Amino acid sequence: MLASLLSSGGYAVDVVTDGEAALAYTRCHDYSVAVVSSEMPRLPGIDVVRQLRRHGVRLPVLLLSGRDTPRDRVAGLDAGADDYMAKPFDVGELLARLRALQRRPASLLMPTLTVGDLECDLASRDVRFGSRHVALTTTEAAILETLMRFSPAVASREQIAQQVWRDYAQMFGSNTIDVHVARLRGKLTGAKARVETVRGIGYRIVAA
């Protein structure tokens, strides 16, 4: 069904039936985006994503799953998926998300992000500056990743909310984002990178 819809929308689509075939296809072809089901034989979708990131493949991935708990979503995103949708899903929303993934500049898909001496490994979520490892919560790490992806440009509060929280609309009108950013700033003390507030817009991270 998805292949038919995507083909009618102008995409050239390859369909594979198991995880090992998916990895083989990504080694042979240069795709613009991938839809990966978590429930695949031979190699589960989440392991496909992990292997792609482990080998430095920057292919944007939308992970589809029959599970929709916060723990499942976090696991999928931490494995390296760029987006996560639960089944059943709205086809229009899925197509919109694929278009959004394709609009991301290639620089936003790098396996390691760097600002100043601050480094964030997207595959392992390991954050460090100099010889110091920074222990971040899942939310703090997601906010930092968003800021580093946009750097040196400003990430608006809406963009941060969309990247970090599934029900991002609930973040508006609250100080949740500000609280997490304040904690993140404290943990980055000593790094040659600083998080700046751009009043009325959002935040950015720049080399100090």
Side-chain angles (χ1 to χ4, degrees):
M1 180 192 71
L2 282 178
S4 177
L5 286 169
L6 291 169
S7 295
S8 64
Y11 288 90
V13 182
D14 286 331
V15 179
V16 296
T17 57
D18 65 76
E20 291 186 0
L23 287 176
Y25 270 58
T26 60
R27 288 193 291 267
C28 298
H29 305 284
D30 184 19
Y31 295 105
S32 59
V33 68
V35 179
V36 177
S37 173
S38 62
E39 295 86 14
M40 288 197 295
R42 300 183 72 182
L43 190 67
I46 194 168
D47 290 330
V48 170
V49 176
R50 286 195 183 102
Q51 290 203 31
L52 288 174
R53 301 311 185 221
R54 190 175 298 126
H55 289 90
V57 178
R58 303 177 185 180
L59 172 66
V61 175
L62 188 154
L63 186 64
L64 290 179
S65 176
R67 299 175 177 271
D68 193 29
T69 67
R71 177 176 296 180
D72 294 315
R73 295 195 298 270
V74 168
L77 295 172
D78 279 350
D82 299 277
D83 202 353
Y84 185 103
M85 288 189 71
K87 306 172 187 178
F89 53 85
D90 179 83
V91 173
E93 181 183 359
L94 182 140
L95 295 176
R97 291 192 182 203
L98 291 181
R99 291 192 294 269
L101 288 176
Q102 289 182 277
R103 287 195 298 268
R104 292 186 180 182
S107 61
L108 299 188
L109 301 171
M110 296 178 64
T112 302
L113 300 172
T114 304
V115 176
D117 65 345
L118 185 65
E119 295 184 352
C120 175
D121 186 309
L122 299 183
S124 65
R125 284 292 181 90
D126 181 59
V127 177
R128 63 178 60 248
F129 58 88
S131 59
R132 178 179 171 185
H133 171 78
V134 185
L136 300 178
T137 66
T138 300
T139 300
E140 291 165 352
I143 291 174
L144 178 62
E145 179 182 331
T146 301
L147 294 177
M148 294 181 75
R149 284 183 185 277
F150 277 83
S151 182
V154 178
S156 71
R157 294 173 61 85
E158 181 178 3
Q159 289 168 324
I160 293 171
Q162 287 176 338
Q163 293 295 320
V164 177
W165 288 277
R166 181 176 178 83
D167 300 320
Y168 64 88
Q170 297 180 7
M171 296 301 105
F172 300 125
S174 74
N175 67 343
T176 303
I177 295 176
D178 307 287
V179 170
H180 285 292
V181 170
R183 292 173 179 168
L184 177 61
R185 274 196 180 113
K187 293 183 178 182
L188 297 182
T189 300
K192 294 178 181 178
R194 64 174 181 269
V195 177
E196 299 179 340
T197 302
V198 181
R199 295 190 180 279
I201 302 178
Y203 297 91
R204 67 182 172 194
I205 187 168
V206 295

